[in-house]
Structure formats: structure tokens, C-alpha cells
């Protein structure tokens, strides 16, 4: 795990209840690493995201702090690994409000549910394998996380007006890596990102401008491209 100084980028303080984004990127190395980013004072994590560079690298842990003041991401090499240096970036969407974190663990699948009138603003998770899905349920009442190993799902629960889950269409690809995006509509703001892959592993789940992008990697044991599918999700709010 890297303990070197992180590069931190913070967007300006929130106006009213507008969400703001913060991120941190690790130094480059060829080793498993963890990075953390904190929300500005007076705000809490409502959405999470992470990205890795380099081949055969993947995120295995995307975990908000219990008090939702920060997010931590862990990434590792998989398969044959890589001798190249690579980085991991953690992203958080932060907003003022009363939000809580709920978790649930399981074998390859876990669903963490929000109670009462609260809805799932953001989804996060950690696994002993590789993530294959990290997305809210259609009614935004729970967080669904799937993987190839033991898994814990985290749902960031709260209320915001007009929360909407927008899902991109599923695309079938025959390349080692692919990225697909989905956007909020009109004046909607991005709250969080999610994604799912079929027959592959999730590498990145990130927000970018008016939407979100999920990146996956699909290859056989010899490193050759296979046929797999990818679907992005984004939670939006006016």
C-alpha cells in the first residue's frame, strides 16, 4: 500500500445544496495501493467513484467512511499483473444534508437497503474478487453489488428532490477494454455513478461532467479479447 503524498483536487465550496466533487490520485507504482479523499466541511459523501490506469488492474474496495466525511479506494493487479507503474484515483461527490450509510455482506451478491422514505443516492462496495455490478435498484431503495467473491454493498441513503436513475443501454463488445457513458438530462446534476458488466470485470466507475462512465475489461486466460457486455448508470437530481 502506498503511503506517499497524494495529489488533491477540490472543487469550490457548495452553493446552497449543490453537489461538489473532490478527488485524489496516488503516486505511480506497480503495487496494490489505497487512496482517500475527504469532503469539504459541512458536506457529506453522496456519491463515490474510482479509476485505475494500466492493464490488469482493478478496484476491489470503494468504501465511504461511516460518518460519510471521506471515501477510500483500494486497487490491485490481477491475473498476470503488470510490470508497469500505474495509479488509482478516488472521487467523491459531496453535498450538505442528512445522509446515512447502510451495508450488507454476502457471497457474490449483496443488497443494502435504505429505510423509510430514504433513497439510495450512491453505491459503493468491497470484494475479495472482482466487481461485476455496482448500481442502485430501479426504485432507488437499495444498492446492488455483485462480484466474483465475497462482497459488501454500501448504500448512501438520504433524500433529495427529484432523484432519478438513468441507465444507459447495454452494449456488447469484443475488445479487451471498453467504456460506456450515460448522461443526466436538462439541468439535472450528477449525484453518483454505477455500472454493470456481463462476462467481464469492472475497472472504473466515475462521474464526468453531466454524466457517468463505467469501464470494463474482458479477456480469457491467455489475455485474448472475449465477447462481453457493459451498462452504465447515473443517479441525477435537479
Amino acid at each position: 500500500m502506498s503511503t506517499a503524498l497524494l495529489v488533491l483536487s477540490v472543487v469550490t465550496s457548495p452553493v446552497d445544496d449543490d453537489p461538489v466533487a473532490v478527488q485524489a490520485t496516488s503516486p505511480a507504482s506497480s503495487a496494490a495501493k489505497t487512496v482517500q479523499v475527504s469532503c469539504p466541511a459541512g458536506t457529506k459523501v453522496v456519491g463515490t467513484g474510482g479509476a485505475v490506469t494500466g492493464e490488469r488492474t482493478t478496484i476491489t474496495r470503494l468504501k465511504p467512511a461511516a460518518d460519510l466525511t471521506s471515501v477510500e479506494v483500494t486497487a490491485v493487479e490481477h491475473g498476470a499483473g503488470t510490470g508497469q507503474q500505474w495509479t488509482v484515483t478516488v472521487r467523491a461527490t459531496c453535498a450538505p444534508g442528512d445522509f446515512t450509510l447502510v451495508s450488507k455482506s454476502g457471497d457474490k451478491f449483496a443488497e443494502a437497503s435504505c429505510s423509510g422514505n430514504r433513497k439510495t443516492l450512491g453505491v459503493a462496495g468491497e470484494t475479495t474478487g472482482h466487481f461485476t455490478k455496482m448500481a442502485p435498484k430501479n426504485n432507488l431503495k437499495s444498492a446492488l453489488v455483485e462480484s466474483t467473491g465475497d462482497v459488501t454493498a454500501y448504500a448512501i441513503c438520504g433524500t433529495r428532490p427529484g432523484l432519478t436513475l438513468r441507465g444507459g443501454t447495454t452494449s456488447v463488445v469484443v475488445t479487451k477494454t471498453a467504456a460506456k457513458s450515460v448522461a443526466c438530462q436538462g439541468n439535472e446534476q450528477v449525484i453518483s455513478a454505477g455500472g454493470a458488466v456481463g462476462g467481464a470485470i469492472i475497472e472504473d466507475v466515475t462521474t464526468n461532467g453531466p454524466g457517468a462512465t463505467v469501464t470494463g475489461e474482458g479477456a480469457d486466460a491467455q489475455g485474448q479479447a472475449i465477447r462481453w457486455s457493459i451498462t452504465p448508470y447515473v443517479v441525477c437530481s435537479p
Side-chain angles (χ1 to χ4, degrees), residues 31-189:
K33 52 184 71 70
T34 297
V35 292
Q36 184 185 77
V37 69
S38 297
C39 285
T43 66
K44 289 188 175 183
V45 177
V46 293
T48 66
V52 290
T53 60
E55 293 185 351
R56 294 183 294 278
T57 59
T58 186
I59 290 171
T60 57
R61 184 169 177 262
L62 181 57
K63 182 180 180 181
D67 61 1
L68 292 174
T69 57
S70 64
V71 178
E72 193 169 74
V73 169
T74 297
V76 301
E77 298 180 9
H78 64 85
T82 176
Q84 299 177 344
Q85 294 191 336
W86 52 276
T87 65
V88 58
T89 296
V90 55
R91 295 183 174 94
T93 303
C94 308
D98 178 23
F99 309 113
T100 56
L101 185 67
V102 178
S103 65
K104 184 74 173 180
S105 298
D107 176 19
K108 298 183 180 179
F109 171 82
E111 180 176 353
S113 300
C114 298
S115 60
N117 65 345
R118 291 179 168 247
K119 292 189 175 183
T120 302
L121 285 82
V123 177
E126 54 186 321
T127 180
T128 59
H130 304 305
F131 289 120
T132 56
K133 184 173 185 176
M134 191 178 294
K137 202 169 184 177
N138 287 343
N139 62 4
L140 291 176
K141 289 299 294 179
S142 61
L144 307 174
V145 180
E146 298 176 5
S147 80
T148 58
D150 295 335
V151 64
T152 298
Y154 297 100
I156 300 170
C157 304
T159 58
R160 282 184 67 92
L163 280 177
T164 302
L165 175 64
R166 301 202 180 280
T169 57
T170 298
S171 301
V172 176
V173 297
V174 191
T175 55
K176 288 185 180 180
T177 62
K180 295 296 177 181
S181 301
V182 60
C184 293
Q185 298 181 6
N187 294 323
E188 292 176 340
Q189 301 177 83

Side-chain angles (χ1 to χ4, degrees), residues 17-40:
D17 64 348
D18 287 351
V20 296
V22 294
Q23 72 175 42
T25 299
S26 74
S29 68
S30 181
K33 52 184 71 70
T34 297
V35 292
Q36 184 185 77
V37 69
S38 297
C39 285

